[in-house]
Amino acid sequence: MKIQFPSTRLVRGSLLLIGIVWLAILISGGMCVAGQSEIGSREISMDAQWRFNRGDVSDASSREFDDRDWQTVDVPHDWAISGPFVEDAPASREGAFLPSGVAWYRKHLSISNQFIAKKVFIEFDGVMANSDVWINGHHLGHRPNGFVSFRYELTDHLKFGANEDNVIAVRSDTAKQVASRWYTGSGIYRHVRLVVVDPVHVAYDGVYVTTPEITSAHATVDVEVRVENRSDEKQDVKLSTTIVDPDGTVVAEGNAACEVESGASGLVNVDSVVANPVLWNLKSPKLYSVIVRLIVDGESRDQVSTPFGIRRGEFRSDTGFSLNGERIKIKGVCLHHCAGALGAAVPVSAWEHRLCRLRELGVNAVRTAHNPVAPEFLDLCDRMGILVMDEFFDCWTIGKRREDYHHHFREWAHRDMADTLRRDRNHPSVILYSVGNEIHDTPREELAKNILKDLVAICHEIDPTRPVTQGLFRPNVSHDYDNGLADMLDVIGTNYRDLELLQAWRDQPGRKIIGTEQGHDRKIWLACRDNAQHAGQFLWVGIDYLGESWQWPVTTYNSGLLDRTLRPYARGRERQSWWSETPMVRVFRRIAPTEETPTDPGYEDIQWKRQQVLFDDWSPRATDAHEENVEVYSNCDEVELILNDRSLGVQMLPSDASARNWSIPFEAGRLIAIGRNDGVEVARDELATAGAAARIEVRVNRSTLALGFDEVAYVEATVTDSSGVRVPRSESEIAFQVDGPGKLIAVDSASIVSHEPFHASRRRAFRGRCIGIVRATDSKGVLSVTASAEGLMPGVARVDVSPE
């Protein structure tokens, strides 16, 4: 099966051309005017001013229910991340010992009479979990999966008019535990919007764009549009498409027409040709746009704008993965949907910061472990040039935890996956679908093959241009390679057993293979690096995440390339030396656990195994004469190590990707590693012995900040001595104070045993560091963050707040 990938994504911010009419949506409690927006806006944010109550409440779905005493919150909102951490929490270690349970949200709104003739829908990008939604007491539906996006129609149950109060009620329920193997969050943790359309309109996720032919001279762009006719009569529909290049120039246009019966939908195809296409790739992810206009009786009834990237991806048995004809080794990481102190309600700018930090290490791909992500995450990957393996399920009919998705799989899996496919199939970043992770059904051959057959068929039907894989679980034990199950996949994916995967390829060389989940072992990277047929790998895990710990008091799975504050571990720098094309060098000191080694599980030396550990400082606990093992990670041809201006020798780049090591007597002072290519210095790293803690240095990850949920800045506070050297064992409690148009929304550190609240103004430093996360509260001004601690000189960082 030859796979060609589509090249577009459907943008949520679509436009509706029905004329210029003003809509006032009144949102209460307090019935305050949230603002006015043109009817030219097809989508209207519903994120602001929800009434929230933690705990179950009878009659809360009723329009007349009195919610004036409830808390007012904006969504996205993950109420569980507020804590507290409790050892006997129902979600247990899997849920990071954080709370779970039932919560209610209610939103009041008045809708103009001018919408009586329109169709009104509400869309949720994700509600965790087992959600029920009502409008004015009428039950709209139930959705058990907390990761999927969904919509309901409100039209027939709305009361129109400025004096009419409509109430949307949402009940979320995470009370049944243990329901996941990691922290999921709770509540309306993704965006919500109203969609107002003409009765004749483009269907929900109804645009599908592919590029079946791409050359340097031209690209064919096929646009398939599903048109819905919710009017009382058959309609003659005309469709036009306009393609705009990355510079905003119109480069192609097309037209088509069809008849759509009343109460039915119809597919319309419009083909266009783009001359001299600029291809979407990892280094230059250029995006075109397709504007679809729907015209009835000479009037524009709907308009949807869809940015897209023209590109061709292909998996081959002999050479792995290629993009636009260029072989690319997939250097991926697995990521859960949460983000440390922010919980599951993650702003886009936080994801951007996280992905930028991973990309510095050479990461070029993400596996969405193990459920659908927020749509804006895929939009971001499109813009950044990050490849994505889009995954749907962590289990099928046999569960991994008592209350997980296996209870719902038979009833809901096909619908959940089909909805997600239609939502995601236009993203140029998505190169591969995964229909399961370590599925426990596979030892039951016939059961698993019947399920897999249906899942693959649905993927191929809805999106025949992308391949399907699965993270196989112990395939040699369940004989997946021998009984035909693995070969039902377009690309065979296997977790951890890469040597077995390569042998399966040797047994049948026509197979296409990829490592869907790996540890950090060097030999596993070499198995991927040195075998062209191996398309690439996805490490477990890219960033430390809450949950899946092994026991109290540990709250975090800490095998990431980055810790929760996005500081690289030594394994992250090692991976950078293998994956990054930019010259780099990093120095660590390696110690073996001894009686003098701290036993606090918050320290990096306590991992899943008691192993040797590495520290990025030159401040050991013992200052008397002793040997230090210095380990250097670098991709440079040669590295020279210098201690207090004395050269300790030069070591060349090992062909087996191993680190460069020196065993040297400890001496306080400065340790410098210099990386050279062709005899020219291209990188250096320096460690220094710290003195007494004297001050706090503050750095912020961005210089400007706009207003809105999706805009945040990370502020890192570091305890240093008077010379600016980090004091690695400082545990000072650092207080964050925000002045100007902003607020502190969370604090965090890399400690995996801290039970301090994330929603606070103070955080104890871990290895001399902690972070605060801030958001703007006004559209302009200068936001300043001061970090202070007893006995230390405070530090200040400033961020300019601007409208855009």
Side-chain angles (χ1 to χ4, degrees):
M1 178 180 181
K2 186 174 181 179
I3 302 296
Q4 177 204 332
F5 302 134
S7 55
T8 69
R9 76 175 191 272
L10 180 63
V11 167
R12 296 276 174 183
S14 310
L15 300 177
L16 176 63
L17 294 182
I18 316 176
I20 301 176
V21 183
W22 292 94
L23 162 69
I25 295 185
L26 308 180
I27 304 173
S28 70
M31 290 298 291
C32 60
V33 177
Q36 290 183 317
S37 71
E38 293 184 9
I39 199 169
S41 175
R42 192 178 198 259
E43 299 178 355
I44 304 155
S45 173
M46 292 283 284
D47 288 348
Q49 297 186 16
W50 288 77
R51 293 300 184 95
F52 170 74
N53 182 79
R54 179 178 167 183
D56 211 354
V57 181
S58 61
D59 299 327
S61 62
S62 170
R63 177 172 173 259
E64 292 75 22
F65 180 84
D66 186 356
D67 57 19
R68 286 175 294 180
D69 293 335
W70 286 17
Q71 180 184 358
T72 300
V73 301
D74 294 340
V75 302
H77 177 243
D78 173 13
W79 61 263
I81 198 64
S82 298
F85 295 97
V86 178
E87 185 173 3
D88 61 355
S92 188
R93 62 182 183 86
E94 289 93 337
F97 303 101
L98 284 165
S100 54
V102 175
W104 281 87
Y105 296 81
R106 286 169 55 89
K107 186 175 183 66
H108 297 249
L109 62 148
S110 296
I111 300 181
S112 169
N113 284 322
Q114 294 171 353
F115 283 89
I116 290 176
K118 309 306 175 187
K119 300 296 179 183
V120 183
F121 300 85
I122 188 167
E123 294 180 359
F124 295 86
D125 286 338
V127 180
M128 191 64 67
N130 300 298
S131 65
D132 288 273
V133 182
W134 292 262
I135 176 67
N136 294 333
H138 176 82
H139 186 244
L140 296 171
H142 173 77
R143 204 76 184 225
N145 191 323
F147 296 95
V148 297
S149 301
F150 57 93
R151 67 145 44 167
Y152 298 117
E153 184 171 0
L154 307 179
T155 312
D156 293 341
H157 309 288
L158 289 174
K159 296 180 179 297
F160 294 91
N163 296 321
E164 293 287 357
D165 181 28
N166 294 276
V167 178
I168 298 168
V170 179
R171 182 182 187 271
S172 65
D173 185 358
T174 56
K176 290 185 177 180
Q177 295 291 339
V178 176
S180 176
R181 297 185 297 119
W182 57 88
Y183 175 76
T184 64
S186 292
I188 305 178
Y189 72 106
R190 293 180 182 166
H191 291 291
V192 186
R193 70 194 66 83
L194 281 185
V195 177
V196 182
V197 292
D198 189 89
V200 184
H201 57 269
V202 176
Y204 181 44
D205 291 330
V207 176
Y208 179 40
V209 187
T210 57
T211 53
E213 183 178 346
I214 301 173
T215 70
S216 60
H218 72 274
T220 302
V221 179
D222 292 351
V223 182
E224 177 188 278
V225 181
R226 181 169 293 279
V227 178
E228 285 195 353
N229 178 12
R230 301 289 299 280
S231 72
D232 295 332
E233 298 177 352
K234 181 174 68 175
Q235 300 289 346
D236 293 320
V237 179
K238 294 181 179 180
L239 207 68
S240 72
T241 61
T242 302
I243 299 178
V244 180
D245 72 10
D247 295 325
T249 303
V250 174
V251 293
E253 294 179 305
N255 295 280
C258 70
E259 289 184 349
V260 185
E261 296 289 339
S262 172
S265 64
L267 285 177
V268 184
N269 289 87
V270 184
D271 298 340
S272 301
V273 175
V274 173
N276 305 314
V278 179
L279 301 187
W280 185 94
N281 59 55
L282 303 190
K283 294 182 179 179
S284 181
K286 296 291 186 180
L287 295 171
Y288 288 72
S289 294
V290 173
I291 301 169
V292 176
R293 293 184 179 89
L294 191 156
I295 301 168
V296 178
D297 295 331
E299 296 182 359
S300 294
R301 298 294 183 89
D302 203 356
Q303 178 172 305
V304 176
S305 178
T306 306
F308 70 97
I310 299 173
R311 60 96 175 100
R312 183 189 299 278
E314 185 179 8
F315 284 89
R316 294 178 57 91
S317 175
D318 54 347
T319 56
F321 177 73
S322 65
L323 184 65
N324 303 323
E326 177 187 357
R327 285 179 55 191
I328 294 176
K329 190 70 77 171
I330 293 172
K331 301 171 181 177
V333 294
C334 304
L335 289 179
H336 279 313
H337 71 302
C338 64
L342 296 170
V346 187
V348 169
S349 59
W351 275 123
E352 184 175 15
H353 184 40
R354 290 159 72 83
L355 292 179
C356 283
R357 295 293 283 163
L358 287 168
R359 193 160 59 180
E360 289 174 10
L361 306 182
V363 172
N364 64 15
V366 167
R367 176 193 184 200
T368 63
H370 301 290
N371 293 278
V373 289
E376 63 268 20
F377 177 88
L378 298 181
D379 289 339
L380 179 64
C381 291
D382 292 344
R383 296 193 298 270
M384 293 183 66
I386 303 290
L387 303 174
V388 176
M389 182 172 78
D390 198 2
E391 191 158 68
F392 305 130
F393 305 116
D394 188 45
C395 65
W396 292 349
T397 66
I398 299 176
K400 298 177 181 177
R401 294 298 181 266
R402 183 173 61 249
E403 299 295 342
D404 65 18
Y405 187 71
H406 74 281
H407 292 293
H408 310 289
F409 184 85
R410 291 193 182 277
E411 179 182 358
W412 284 96
H414 289 182
R415 180 178 175 183
D416 287 343
M417 189 176 74
D419 286 352
T420 306
L421 283 162
R422 293 187 186 95
R423 189 197 72 172
D424 296 352
R425 62 186 175 175
N426 293 306
H427 289 275
S429 57
V430 175
I431 60 168
L432 191 61
Y433 295 127
S434 170
V435 295
N437 169 65
E438 297 183 358
I439 298 301
H440 289 189
D441 300 61
T442 52
R444 305 182 186 185
E445 178 182 340
E446 291 308 312
L447 170 67
K449 290 169 84 170
N450 286 332
I451 293 173
L452 181 58
K453 178 183 176 182
D454 289 342
L455 297 179
V456 172
I458 292 170
C459 289
H460 288 171
E461 177 185 0
I462 294 175
D463 183 7
T465 66
R466 282 187 180 83
V468 180
T469 190
Q470 176 184 338
L472 294 178
F473 179 59
R474 301 175 184 172
N476 276 6
V477 175
S478 52
H479 302 285
D480 299 340
Y481 298 139
D482 307 324
N483 63 22
L485 184 142
D487 292 306
M488 297 171 67
L489 300 165
D490 302 316
V491 179
I492 299 175
T494 298
N495 287 7
Y496 296 103
R497 288 161 168 77
D498 286 57
L499 301 181
E500 295 178 10
L501 180 63
L502 286 166
Q503 185 58 50
W505 179 89
R506 296 185 189 101
D507 294 339
Q508 191 173 319
R511 288 167 163 166
K512 303 168 186 177
I513 61 171
I514 189 168
T516 40
E517 187 171 317
Q518 284 74 30
H520 301 283
D521 290 349
R522 178 168 55 92
K523 67 179 181 180
I524 300 302
W525 163 237
L526 294 179
C528 178
R529 185 194 73 176
D530 298 339
N531 288 277
Q533 70 272 33
H534 198 307
Q537 59 183 203
F538 292 88
L539 301 177
W540 196 267
V541 60
I543 306 174
D544 287 359
Y545 60 91
L546 292 169
E548 205 168 1
S549 72
W550 72 94
Q551 64 181 21
W552 178 269
V554 178
T555 64
T556 304
Y557 190 106
N558 66 321
S559 71
L561 298 180
L562 307 174
D563 65 31
R564 287 206 317 258
T565 69
L566 308 184
R567 184 80 177 182
Y569 286 112
R571 70 177 78 91
R573 294 302 186 187
E574 180 179 47
R575 189 62 52 164
Q576 184 181 10
S577 73
W578 300 340
W579 282 6
S580 178
E581 298 177 1
T582 303
M584 59 80 61
V585 62
R586 287 293 187 274
V587 186
F588 293 84
R589 57 184 185 87
R590 177 180 285 274
I591 67 170
T594 66
E595 293 181 0
E596 289 75 33
T597 302
T599 57
D600 176 0
Y603 281 88
E604 189 179 351
D605 64 301
I606 305 299
Q607 298 290 341
W608 296 101
K609 298 177 181 178
R610 293 290 300 222
Q611 58 192 12
Q612 288 185 312
V613 294
L614 295 113
F615 297 95
D616 59 344
D617 64 66
W618 194 238
S619 303
R621 289 177 178 271
T623 57
D624 56 355
H626 66 278
E627 289 289 309
E628 283 285 347
N629 183 350
V630 176
E631 187 154 307
V632 178
Y633 302 124
S634 178
N635 54 12
C636 299
D637 295 340
E638 63 180 49
V639 172
E640 181 179 15
L641 192 66
I642 299 171
L643 177 60
N644 293 330
D645 299 324
R646 300 191 312 275
S647 176
L648 302 179
V650 175
Q651 293 190 32
M652 307 306 291
L653 178 66
S655 61
D656 65 354
S658 59
R660 285 169 260 203
N661 291 86
W662 282 260
S663 182
I664 63 174
F666 172 74
E667 181 181 304
R670 295 189 177 274
L671 183 68
I672 301 173
I674 299 175
R676 299 187 180 94
N677 288 335
D678 298 324
V680 178
E681 179 179 334
V682 291
R684 73 162 52 202
D685 190 30
E686 180 177 320
L687 302 179
T689 306
R695 65 191 190 198
I696 300 174
E697 291 189 356
V698 179
R699 291 186 294 181
V700 65
N701 74 311
R702 54 191 300 181
S703 59
T704 61
L705 195 61
L707 189 66
F709 169 85
D710 281 313
E711 288 279 310
V712 296
Y714 281 68
V715 181
E716 182 180 87
T718 304
V719 179
T720 74
D721 65 9
S722 58
S723 299
V725 177
R726 176 173 57 91
V727 182
R729 271 169 291 283
S730 172
E731 296 182 349
S732 297
E733 185 178 64
I734 296 178
F736 293 89
Q737 178 179 325
V738 178
D739 295 301
K743 63 180 179 180
L744 184 71
I745 63 170
V747 293
D748 203 357
S749 73
S751 172
I752 65 173
V753 297
S754 172
H755 299 145
E756 300 166 277
F758 295 124
H759 292 175
S761 61
R762 297 173 174 269
R763 188 76 178 192
R764 189 169 296 279
F766 175 74
R767 295 198 56 76
R769 296 188 187 92
C770 63
I771 65 168
I773 303 173
V774 297
R775 175 177 287 137
T777 56
D778 202 347
S779 59
K780 61 184 304 183
V782 177
L783 180 159
S784 68
V785 184
T786 302
S788 60
E790 184 177 354
L792 302 179
M793 181 180 297
V796 180
R798 292 178 175 84
V799 181
D800 290 329
V801 178
S802 60
E804 296 182 0

